[in-house]
Amino acid sequence: MPDRGGGPTGPRIRVGRPSRRVRTLLMTLGVLAVLGMVFTMFAGFWTDWLWYRSVNYSSVFTTTLWTKIGLFFVFGLLMAVAVGFNIWLAHRLRPPLSAMSMEQQNLDRYRMGIAPYKKWLLLGITALVGLIAGASASSQWRTWLMWVNGVPFGQKDPQFKLDVSFYAFDLPWYRFLLGFGFAAAILSLIAAALTHYLYGGLRITSPGARATAAATGHLSVLLGIFVALKAVAYWLDRYGLAVKSSDFKATDSWTGLRYVDANAYLPAKTILFCIAVICALLFFATLWRRTWQLPVIGFGLMVLSAILIGGLYPAIVQKFQVQPNEQAKEAPYVEKNLKATREAYGIDDSKVSDYPGTSQTEDKTQLRDDVGNTASIRIMDPNIVSPTFQQLQQIRNYYAFPTNLDVDRYTKDGKDQDTVIGLRELNLNGIPKRNWINDHFRYTHGYGVVAAEGTSADAGGRPEFTESDLPSKGDLGTYEQRVYYGERTTTYSIVGGPQKEIDYSDDSGEKTYSYKADSGVNLANPLNRAAYAVAFSEPQILYSGAIGEGSRILYNRTPKERVEAIAPWLTIDGDAYPAVVNGKIQWIVDAYTTTNGYPYSSRTTLGDTTADSLTATNDQRAVVAQQNQVNYIRNSVKATVDAYTGEVKLYQWDTQDPVLKTWMKAFPGTVESKSEISDELMAHLRYPQDLFKVQRELLTRYHVKDATTFLSGSEVWQVPDDPTNKTGDAVPPYYLSMKMPDQREQVFSLTTTFTPNGRDNLSAFMAVNAEAGTDDYGKIRVLKLPTSTTAAGPKQVQSQFNSEQDIAESIRLLRGGDSEVEYGNLLAVPLDGGLLYVEPVYVRGGGLKYPLLRKVLVTYGGQTAFEDTLEQALDKVFGAKGTTEPPPGQDEDPGEDEGTTPPPTSDNPTVREALNDAQEAFEAGQEALKKNDWEAYGQAQKDLEDALRRAEEAQAAESRGGSGGGETGGGENSPSPKPSPSS
């Protein structure tokens, strides 16, 4: 039986300190955790440094870093010293202990509790406020660099006669210093008051004086400093009136002085400055008078004055002087705003001309030949035909084109040709098998340029490619086709090491490649590999055998993010575009310098102003803005990014821009001179879209130069909504080679239309010369229509298209089956006093679901045509000689799409047989693809091409024989396009 007595029944468990082994383990884990945190922070810094060094812009990294570090330590130390000194001083001025009241007895417990830790507590508080202040100050590195490197504008504001640089560069820095001073004064005052209260210098419930003389003097000095800073704030506010925002009935982005500012607020700020100075002196006088009476009276007077002089008096002036005769009072200040805004946005030289809006020629047949001389009308819409490029030129599923293609100019047969262009970029979602090696080592780049004429389509409604196939070949000659940097390339790749990359595939199979440029960061160094493993949260980078000697990691690969990282002081245009220049594919990126401190210039919000129907559906088209609210902008930099090496070059484009000159002083050697731009590159530079959008938005109000008209609002325009889709967003501007009435020949232009505010008829047409290198590049021309005319605007033109019975019926037929109709860009061209509208119409149908050009809508002078080709539509509208109605039955079933080979319905047996052969060859090719039988696939492709060629020849012969076949692509019997191997 067990012993049930009170003695011990077993060994006693002792609870004490953990064993040495456990303590060592815990200490080791703690040290490892700290080292891990430190290395994580170091990894971010180290990888950034390595990247900037790899792109040869390490000076940007070091300048930015040392500026941030300097601001952090200087202002962090100043704040820590200010707060720490006042805590120390308040403690030193504490009174001797006297008869204990209940209040002091309660506080004594806290005094006793912190007594052993006073020094550590003081250091902790000062360190905390110093870290917060330093972090806040380091974010002002742009403000500091602009202040210390500021270049004069050479223009003075009309009120204070100060150079614009004072408002753009100096005033923001002074305001930061003032804000820092306020923060230091308030924190010091709070810390000192709490210390005085804790040690008896201030009493709330104890009998006798509420504050000792020492505490009174100390706190009054701090209050005096605060009031003195308020006096400085009142003085700076005077200048701030020139750049302050205010609501105004003509515009909600008004800046600058108005009548009430100049005649009420300005004198009020001066008076308040004087009162604040006197009040501050009264606070300082308490060092000798030891009484709060006069300072408190002075402070109350300052508050009352701020209410009466700074608030009530301006309201009275506005109510009884301005409102009864607002136009007369505000007109001089509106003129200043008009002048400053037009200068700040570069629209002061825009030419506004009267335009009748209706044709001046009675016989319209005389105008038919003028159309070709006036404009090269683009019927290939780069925002519609990307799926067509994708289907016909993707070649492999792991390639893709951007959602929106670009328009550029290339020379063909000695003439400039508007060209729709896109790069065959890497599409990781199309990789047959997704894994880490495939995603980052094998599939690393796209391949080749695909380009098509913008002004024509083939008989099937497909683009007429001038550069196509894989590898690409055509009119662009020989160039490096590999695309390692592009708009769709958003992940990192590791290249150049032991793992070979897939280059491209042809009939003979896959070709491999190893990257040969020195772009990216070398991963041969174990430290670099460890840093990137941490920075990218990918441990395989550290130990993978696919990384070895020569391996380099490529990242930050989209053109916009590379330029933004290299020049963080620039605002980046939303649309980077590719061009073949000197045997290389170069991404061209437009960049802007901006400021929010141009006096009297109205502000604009870049994110809103640059939005349109394209940015609503494609986030990649959004502007990359350093500051969203601006009132000055210049396209001061043209940047290029090499699609193979990733090399970035910045070129000074606006040689007069003081903001760019300021940044070039801050970051010397980063921007090359304009003279370094080669002729080949110059041929592809163009006027940027986002700047044009900002300017067109401003010109809806600022096209008038008369203050009275501006105030009345009778001439306000608006940018119309895009009538070709249902987004409800603004119509995008369109690139087009054309000539305005005062131009002798066509130039590459960027165009838009305006309608009256709240109405749909046309009020103006705007174009800017977008062709770099020409004498009047950037010249804005606005054709203003009379208010008495009712020329149709874009929405009315689209409604007119849709409402005409014949056109509506044709559209209904085009939508037959599972087909969809898509409207292309609605182009407007000034012609003989009127406006010619042209809109391509695309149809998606069948199994492949990509758009093909089926019809062209044209309207001019009330005449509308809906024909298979642009030439036919123009002939019908202008009544050209020989125009005839299409034979009956020509478009009996225009809804049939050529996306897949249609069932052979031609009466021509040769066509029928060829189409059957094409269908069989296509099916054989698909079967060969499934089996990876490349030899059989190549033979099937050859058979398919032969069959399609025979069908086209037979149909063309039938058309020449008068059978009415649809050689323009509108008939049922058109041959199908060559299917893509990936379809």
Side-chain angles (χ1 to χ4, degrees), residues 38-58 61-62 65 492 519-523 525-538 541-542 553-556 562 565-566:
V38 171
F39 187 78
T40 300
M41 292 185 291
F42 167 78
F45 162 80
W46 185 244
T47 53
D48 284 348
W49 160 247
L50 290 174
W51 185 85
Y52 277 97
R53 191 175 64 175
S54 73
V55 293
N56 299 318
Y57 282 90
S58 55
F61 179 81
T62 54
L65 177 65
Y492 70 90
S519 179
V521 178
N522 192 346
L523 290 182
N525 186 330
L527 176 63
N528 293 356
R529 293 177 66 171
Y532 279 101
V534 171
F536 288 0
S537 301
E538 183 49 73
I541 294 178
L542 185 61
I553 185 168
L554 313 180
Y555 62 105
N556 286 350
R562 287 182 81 78
I566 283 169

Side-chain angles (χ1 to χ4, degrees), residues 756-769:
N757 193 26
R759 295 162 58 196
D760 293 326
N761 58 291
L762 193 70
S763 59
F765 176 85
M766 172 182 171
V768 63
N769 183 346

Side-chain angles (χ1 to χ4, degrees), residues 263-286:
N263 295 278
Y265 280 110
L266 188 57
K269 297 293 184 183
T270 306
I271 295 171
L272 289 172
F273 164 76
C274 297
I275 294 174
V277 170
I278 294 172
C279 186
L281 294 175
L282 292 176
F283 273 108
F284 293 141
T286 56

